[in-house]
Amino acid sequence: MTDSTDDMAAKYGDQDSTEDEPGDEAMADPVLVDESLGHVALKDSQLFVGRSEMQIVAYIDQRERDGLRVGNYVCIPYPDATTAPNEDEVLLAAIDRLEYRPITEINDWVDGGGYSDFGEQNLAYVSHLDPIAIVEHDRLEDALTRQTVDRPPKPGEDVHLIEDEEVLRIGLNIPSDGIYIGDMAVSGDLIPNDDEPLTYLLSNPNVTDGTEDEGEPAIFRHLLVAGSTGKGKTHFSKNILRQCAVSKQYPIEIPPEEQEKFGIEDDVRSRYLNLFVIDPENEYVEMRDDNPELSQEKIEELENKDIAVGGLGDDLQVFAPVTSNSQPTLDNIRTFSIPFSIVEDRPQLLLSSRAEDPTFNALRDILNAYFDKFDEDGDDEPTYEDFKSWFYQHGDQFVQNDNILSAVERRVTGPIYDRVFDHGTTSLEDYTNDIFNRGQVTVVPTGHLRGETEQLVLLALMTHIVENKIDTGVDHPQIKGTPLLLCVDEAHEYLSSTNRPREQYLVQNFRQAAKRGRKDKFGLYMVTQNPQDIDDEILKQTNTRIYLGLQPEVVERIRIPADYEDQIVTFDKGQAVVDAPDVRPVEVQGLDVCVTDHSN
């Protein structure tokens, strides 16, 4: 790095001067003769890339200072002599830090010199760059590829703001097709520009030939959307879920039960997604309808960006659970009851408090004895009322210890079970094929439920889903054999680490489901304002995380991408950070409109 002042003068042209008092020799930044921001630093800063550490510093031209922000993406060309014939290469980097330095400490373009006015014109503006990737352009194939940063740029090379959308997409490894999340942004400003921002997409390949697919859908590696109240979680999620509800097919194994029943020889088939939404505030039901505030001009603008717009109509079906003291008031819905038969293989659902092994074993024996009395071909159905009567008549035949029998009784009797089980004309199990119909969005509103009743209903429902999705020898192969994305709003209320046996049982099931999501085509979409409360084992399996604005106390307790820890507490509504597999964490701006109806 021994470029002389004369060399730099030839490269950058004459320098601006400033008016100073006599005797002062003030020096301004070099004026660049092209459209670059500045140039890679020379003598005063080390320039290197390594396996664990890199340092690239650039000096910014004075006329370019005001528009730059930490996080802006820049590129630096490599000289033609360093590349193969017919190939061009640029280094993609992000601005990691911006600082002023006294010019007397910098001898890039002048030796010595003094000044008396400590104004901005007498300071150098220095940008520390964070290298991301080398983007290579094959001119013969007209194709861009992404390479590891394995060498530094040349000293003195020009630094440019990224204007080419594809260079940015390839360098950041953002898919060119998939589920729309938002538009790329830096400090809330869209990039590369407001008119044509880069769309941020999640990988969601379609089946292209029989059961062959083009890659792994990100939805089956699970998603988290976290944000404080008022930051637009539901709005943001509705827009994402609407993009999931399109005609995409996914390869999935055919359950052995179906292979045997229907004589199917194939092991794999392709099926459309069932999107299942648990809706505690009756908000996602609105996705059935168009947004009346969307103009035709806006609709066309979004559709030109391949963003799905409009209500789902009959493709969205609403099924609501009923209890003895709660009925949904929504229109155009079907209701179902939670059948007592759901506890036959799940005695944990009756454990509101921890049970010692003798008590749990006795409970399991009693349930087995009760359900054994029902013939599969018989007309009688197990109900909670029938079980309670049977227990008082026959319980002591299976448990001789009075203390243990009393402990079982405390767990299997109580008003909560009278409220939850066996109300309504159609049970969950009878509706299972309709609820989990492929190519359908199923919304289950629970706003009419309260307290422990809501907890037990949803624990039973989600247990029914996850066990029929991941177990072998399932009762409902429709669930197992259909690609499924389960959206749980207020997820921290159901999937948090706990010592309560019912909730713990559910969490353990979801831990297994999260690990098996890619194999079983089961995706978990969690929406929460308290991500720190969600079980750690489930979060570890959640590869795509979208963080909207969060309170400082929340940020302190979760893993936010380091570059955004300080910024995220100041995010406006719809502003988010996306941390996704194989992609550098980036800022996006969600749509300022909802593509379906959204009243809040």
Side-chain angles (χ1 to χ4, degrees), residues 449-587:
L449 303 177
R450 294 291 182 271
E452 191 181 4
T453 298
E454 180 185 21
Q455 285 283 338
L456 182 55
V457 167
L458 287 179
L459 287 172
L461 175 60
M462 288 194 283
T463 300
H464 176 73
I465 294 172
V466 73
E467 290 191 349
N468 277 288
K469 191 64 178 148
I470 67 174
D471 283 357
T472 58
V474 297
D475 294 327
H476 298 279
Q478 171 80 357
I479 299 177
K480 190 170 186 65
T482 300
L484 176 65
L485 179 62
L486 172 60
C487 173
V488 184
D489 206 337
E490 303 295 346
H492 59 277
E493 294 188 4
Y494 314 107
L495 301 177
S496 62
S497 299
T498 177
N499 292 324
R500 292 175 296 185
R502 274 203 296 247
E503 291 82 353
Q504 190 176 57
Y505 175 62
L506 179 71
V507 168
Q508 289 170 347
N509 276 312
F510 268 89
R511 287 175 180 173
Q512 292 301 314
K515 292 176 182 177
R516 294 173 54 91
R518 295 155 70 182
K519 178 180 183 340
D520 291 328
K521 297 298 183 289
F522 174 74
L524 182 59
Y525 186 112
M526 298 173 287
V527 184
T528 180
Q529 58 186 313
N530 297 318
Q532 72 278 10
D533 292 338
I534 293 178
D535 178 71
D536 286 343
E537 292 300 315
I538 295 175
L539 278 181
K540 286 178 183 177
Q541 302 297 325
T542 304
N543 287 22
T544 299
R545 307 182 187 201
I546 301 171
Y547 300 105
L548 290 96
L550 290 165
Q551 297 297 323
E553 58 269 22
V554 175
V555 174
E556 292 174 0
R557 298 176 60 187
I558 61 175
R559 181 181 62 83
I560 298 289
D563 292 344
Y564 297 97
E565 287 179 348
D566 295 331
Q567 297 181 39
I568 205 165
V569 298
T570 64
F571 274 7
D572 291 331
K573 186 175 183 177
Q575 192 177 359
V577 171
V578 184
D579 189 1
D582 307 318
V583 182
R584 180 186 177 92
V586 298
E587 178 189 333

Side-chain angles (χ1 to χ4, degrees), residues 122 293 310 347 396 470 565:
N122 294 313
E293 298 181 2
D396 57 1
I470 67 174
E565 287 179 348

Side-chain angles (χ1 to χ4, degrees), residues 136 472 595:
E136 180 183 287
T472 58
V595 297

Side-chain angles (χ1 to χ4, degrees), residues 263-296:
I264 301 173
E265 296 182 359
D266 296 331
D267 294 328
V268 178
R269 67 183 165 209
S270 58
R271 270 194 167 177
Y272 294 107
L273 182 74
N274 176 265
L275 175 53
F276 190 102
V277 183
I278 293 175
D279 185 5
E281 299 295 334
N282 299 351
E283 296 173 301
Y284 295 89
V285 173
E286 296 175 328
M287 293 177 65
R288 185 165 46 193
D289 303 320
D290 295 338
N291 184 348
E293 298 181 2
L294 275 181
S295 66
Q296 186 60 37

